[in-house]
Amino acid sequence: MGVRGLQGFVGSTCPHICTVVNFKELAEHHRSKHPGCTPTIVVDAMCCLRYWYTPESWICGGQWREYFSALRDFVKTFTAVGIRLIFFFDGTVEQDKRDEWVKRRLKNNREISRIFHYIKSHKEQPGRNMFFIPSGLAIFTRFALKSLGQETLCSLQEADYEVASYGLQNNCLGILGEDTDYLIYDTCPYFSISELCLDSLDTVMLCREKLCESLDISLADLPLLACLLGNDIIPEGMFESFRYKCLSSYTSVKENFDKKGNIILAVADHISKVLRLHQGEKKLEEMLPLGPNKALFYKGVASYLLPGQKSPWFFQKPKGLITLDKEVGSMSSAPESKQEVPMCTDPESKQGVPLCTDPDSKQGIPMCTDAESKQGVPMCTDPESKQGVPMWTNPESKQGVPVCTDPESKQGVPVSTDPDSKQAVPVCIDPGSKEGFLLCTHPESKQGVPMCTHPEFKQGDPVCTHPESTQGDPVCTYPESKQGVPMYAYSEYRQGVPMCTYSESKQGVPMCTHTEFKQKSPLGADPEFKLEAPICTNPGINQEDLVNMEPEIKQQVTMVSDPEILKIARAHHVQAESYLVYNIMSSGEIECSNTLEDALDQALPSQAFVYRPVRQRVYSLLLGGGEDGASTCPTVKEWFVYSGNPLRHPDLVRPLQMNIPGGTPSLKLLWLNQDAGIQARRLDALLGCFDLSSSREELQAVENPFKALCCLLTYLFVQVDTLCLEDLHAFIAQALCLQGKPTVQLIDLQLDYIDARAVQLGSLLVRGLTTLVLVNSACGFPWRMSDFMPWNVFDGKLFHQKYLQSEKGCTVEALVEQNRSRLTKFHALKSVVCKACVRENRRIVSRQHWHSPQPGRWGRQGSGSHRTSSGYSRAGPGQHWRIQGPGNRQYEPDHWRRYSSSGWSN
């Protein structure tokens, strides 16, 4: 997490940057300095989860009552000294960090395998050194904090960026987390959660200014250092050879420092003594071995720049430049831009001409100020006319190409100087051939249209006439991106096609990229730039387009077109009131991290598959637009962790048609309509997602908070044939006994031993509770979220105790601890679940009736272990159901079949 090696470096090599501070004292100082302003700490909640989870037991599915109590104490402690907390949670995994996400998930898989090996060998929970946070901890922590009255937000992009931005923009006391990226961001102070003593409110502040002083670099150099060392965007191995070259030439190697510490010192030394000499004169790719990773590296550096911040490594700082035989004489400050602009004194006109520093040519380029747009446009001095002609920088040849400003469109069009007429003739520069295509002035549009001189074409034909327009356009508004894309004539087509596609880069190439085009530039023309991000040829002009990309801009193309519905989903997401709904509707891509599942246990399917049919119906509800929506809505990309999935590609999962009485309601009906009876439609939709509409009356009769639990248990037992009556008894008994137990009694509860199967069952149920959160959110909240918060219906150790007792053959009376009231409720809840299962042709029997394990029923080799609630299981006889998970194949559950006592059905 964060910058590679920096945490260890700070602890061992630069401990002086760590200062012990007290939050109470800092808050008092903040109030005296900012009267009327409440001291606020921004909390990176994802970094804090493992420090918040203080219960001794973590293996059984989570000690949720204890955890909730610990969170309450945490909040109370800060509130008591007048400190406001605001919590941020990760709301998405950005594509740039997907590889790192996958790498960590696969590492977690190996750790989980070791955990289960230990459990089977020792029959006890491993030590804290093997600690693995309970499934669903991040999701339920959001709701726990909200129930404690705390402001809780879910990010629309990388959470650490939003945390750093919020801290800077709101003059916060500091950031509480455990991520060295916060040493790189130029934001408010950074405090360590791992060093926090809650009793005294002492912790450690890590000072980035002292870090810079130790490394002899500036704050603005930290993003560059972070990317050269490696972070979540830049793989550590990308610059490994470069770092060793720095180390070999580093003359101040400290013998008492470790190798990693000396590497960080060497890279920082290279930045301060080598790179800085050419800062503002050379581009980074001219000073560093970026190769084909140039775009990724630039984006990595830019990812640390908060709104309003700029990097000196992205800008050219003119230092007495002599350009085009014209000497830079002074600096001019344009009132509109409030920035100093280099001026060139033209000996012919005796007037000062603004200069633009072009990063490609490394020379100052004269600029003309367009009267309409008040923006500077690069220009060249025509030797014939002695007049300034606007110029466009060809990204391939890195040479300035004259452009003319069309009086109608006020847009620059590349031109060439005709040697015969000595007049500017419009041309279109083909970046691939570096040759100009003549332009003509279309008689209707009066704009320059590219003319093709290809031998297979008739000369003088426009390259493209946009299909939605009767006029020739120099660029085409591509239907997908709504951005200007140049027209290029392929010899195969004999007509203009929407995009000039190089054979090498397969990317669109911009015809002109200066700032007067009121659009973001299409993809970069450089073959090394394979990044789908706005690229501008002059980063000094439009750098904010690259850096300050708001989430709304990033999510231009969404799975749902209704802006009102999307706005509601976004609001619920940001306020941490829903789970996965906005991700599905905006990007069509979701993920689920590791679950404590035994990869060697062939009797229980992974939760990823058990709850997939529910998610498929949710996709139909969210993306289908009502009736028959599943057949028309797109697939959803699922990054779900399960044994055998290498996570090289997401699973492409198709929606599953819902079966709801009265038809599938629209989202507007579920989310916006407040008429009487709508709540019943919401409940119908929720039960439809679990395919339990036929059990509506029985489930409705169950009291809270057991209603949601019965729904989940019914689905589980219909779905997974290897669950038996003893399992059902343990689930129900623990939920009933939980209601009357104080937290201290749960803490003192001791288990005889740990059972691996019970561990997985506990995690399976908790993942079911997170699925309920998703469904309830998607259906407009027919049930209270509190009814399926785990601290109200599940306790890991208590379930484990009931499971072991049930396995030993204890009576139901013993399971409910000889409590008559609980016994009555037990039989009522069991009856609801069993009747609903029978209605789905699933009879729950005791394990004693299983005389011998049946391959189809016990093993994952057969389909009997798992089925969809529509009556079909995953695979046919002899097929390993796990095999059908990994990769990017599409899932159509319609062909799944369930094992029955009469044999395999086809």
Side-chain angles (χ1 to χ4, degrees), residues 631-652:
S631 61
T632 58
C633 60
T635 58
V636 173
K637 298 177 182 178
E638 288 190 350
W639 295 89
F640 275 60
V641 182
Y642 50 85
S643 177
N645 185 3
L647 293 171
R648 296 191 187 97
H649 308 283
D651 293 339
L652 304 183

Side-chain angles (χ1 to χ4, degrees), residues 61 97 147 170 184 244 369 410 432 453 456 472 542 570 601 634 641 647 722 733 754 758 765 790:
K97 298 193 176 184
S147 69
N170 293 276
I184 307 301
Y244 280 101
T369 303
K410 297 184 176 62
T453 56
E456 295 188 27
N542 267 346
R570 184 181 186 274
D601 180 3
V641 182
L647 293 171
T722 51
I754 299 296
L765 184 84

Side-chain angles (χ1 to χ4, degrees), residues 333-340:
S333 179
E336 293 82 8
S337 64
K338 300 181 181 178
Q339 295 179 352
E340 290 186 332

Side-chain angles (χ1 to χ4, degrees), residues 246-247 249-257 262 265-266 269 273:
C246 292
L247 183 62
S249 61
Y250 183 49
T251 58
S252 304
V253 173
K254 306 292 192 301
E255 294 183 2
N256 58 329
F257 291 170
N262 275 311
L265 290 170
D269 184 71
K273 295 181 179 178

Side-chain angles (χ1 to χ4, degrees), residues 738-859:
L738 178 63
Q739 309 307 311
K741 291 189 182 295
T743 302
V744 65
Q745 191 174 345
L746 295 170
I747 294 174
D748 294 337
L749 193 154
Q750 299 296 317
L751 299 174
D752 295 336
Y753 63 93
I754 299 296
D755 181 271
R757 183 173 184 272
V759 168
Q760 184 162 342
L761 283 181
S763 295
L764 182 62
L765 184 84
V766 172
R767 285 299 187 192
L769 294 176
T770 65
T771 303
L772 267 169
V773 175
L774 164 64
V775 176
N776 200 50
S777 305
C779 296
F781 307 98
W783 284 342
R784 299 178 306 179
M785 284 291 194
S786 60
D787 288 343
F788 34 90
M789 292 297 108
W791 46 87
N792 290 328
V793 293
F794 179 80
D795 180 88
K797 277 199 301 182
L798 187 58
F799 166 72
H800 217 92
Q801 182 192 62
K802 301 305 176 185
Y803 177 88
L804 296 178
Q805 291 174 350
S806 186
E807 284 290 293
K808 290 178 181 178
C810 290
T811 64
V812 172
E813 289 80 7
L815 290 179
V816 297
E817 302 171 3
Q818 309 300 328
N819 184 298
R820 288 194 174 186
S821 174
R822 290 180 197 156
L823 182 62
T824 302
K825 292 179 181 178
F826 179 94
H827 286 299
L829 297 181
K830 176 184 174 181
S831 175
V832 169
V833 174
C834 289
K835 286 181 180 179
C837 287
V838 168
R839 192 176 287 110
E840 296 294 326
N841 196 28
R842 165 74 158 100
R843 183 168 173 262
I844 305 173
V845 298
S846 170
R847 186 162 297 154
Q848 297 174 0
H849 290 82
W850 296 349
H851 301 295
S852 62
Q854 302 176 28
R857 195 169 184 79
W858 279 89

Side-chain angles (χ1 to χ4, degrees), residues 116-292:
F116 275 99
H117 178 75
Y118 185 94
I119 293 172
K120 293 173 183 177
S121 302
H122 298 85
K123 299 291 183 180
E124 65 182 17
Q125 175 180 278
R128 192 76 179 188
N129 62 313
M130 296 179 72
F131 171 74
F132 198 87
I133 63 173
S135 301
L137 193 68
I139 300 163
F140 292 119
T141 302
R142 303 179 198 173
F143 293 97
L145 291 169
K146 291 184 78 67
S147 69
L148 291 170
Q150 297 304 294
E151 188 171 355
T152 308
L153 300 175
C154 197
S155 70
L156 289 163
Q157 56 186 126
E158 190 65 27
D160 57 9
Y161 183 90
E162 293 194 15
V163 167
S165 298
Y166 188 95
L168 177 66
Q169 295 172 348
N170 293 276
N171 191 30
C172 291
L173 185 64
I175 294 168
L176 184 61
E178 200 67 23
D179 189 339
T180 47
D181 278 334
Y182 293 124
L183 270 173
I184 307 301
Y185 287 110
D186 188 4
T187 182
C188 58
Y190 162 44
F191 305 106
S192 170
I193 180 65
S194 65
E195 300 293 334
L196 175 65
C197 175
L198 199 58
D199 292 335
S200 63
L201 280 180
D202 287 340
T203 190
V204 166
M205 179 179 72
L206 291 86
C207 180
R208 58 184 70 89
E209 287 78 11
K210 289 183 179 180
L211 175 64
C212 290
E213 183 180 339
S214 301
L215 298 176
D216 192 26
I217 58 177
S218 67
L219 287 173
D221 297 330
L222 287 175
L224 181 63
L225 174 68
C227 290
L228 290 174
L229 295 177
N231 54 25
D232 289 349
I233 294 178
I234 309 297
E236 188 176 8
M238 185 176 292
F239 293 102
E240 186 173 6
S241 59
F242 168 79
R243 291 193 294 271
Y244 280 101
K245 285 181 181 178
C246 292
L247 183 62
S248 64
S249 61
Y250 183 49
T251 58
S252 304
V253 173
K254 306 292 192 301
E255 294 183 2
N256 58 329
F257 291 170
D258 62 12
K259 187 176 183 180
K260 288 185 177 180
N262 275 311
I263 286 178
I264 292 177
L265 290 170
V267 173
D269 184 71
H270 186 81
I271 292 174
S272 64
K273 295 181 179 178
V274 178
L275 300 185
R276 193 178 292 161
L277 294 176
H278 305 286
Q279 189 182 65
E281 297 177 357
K282 290 185 178 181
K283 297 199 300 183
L284 285 175
E285 59 265 32
E286 298 177 86
M287 300 184 285
L288 295 171
L290 303 186

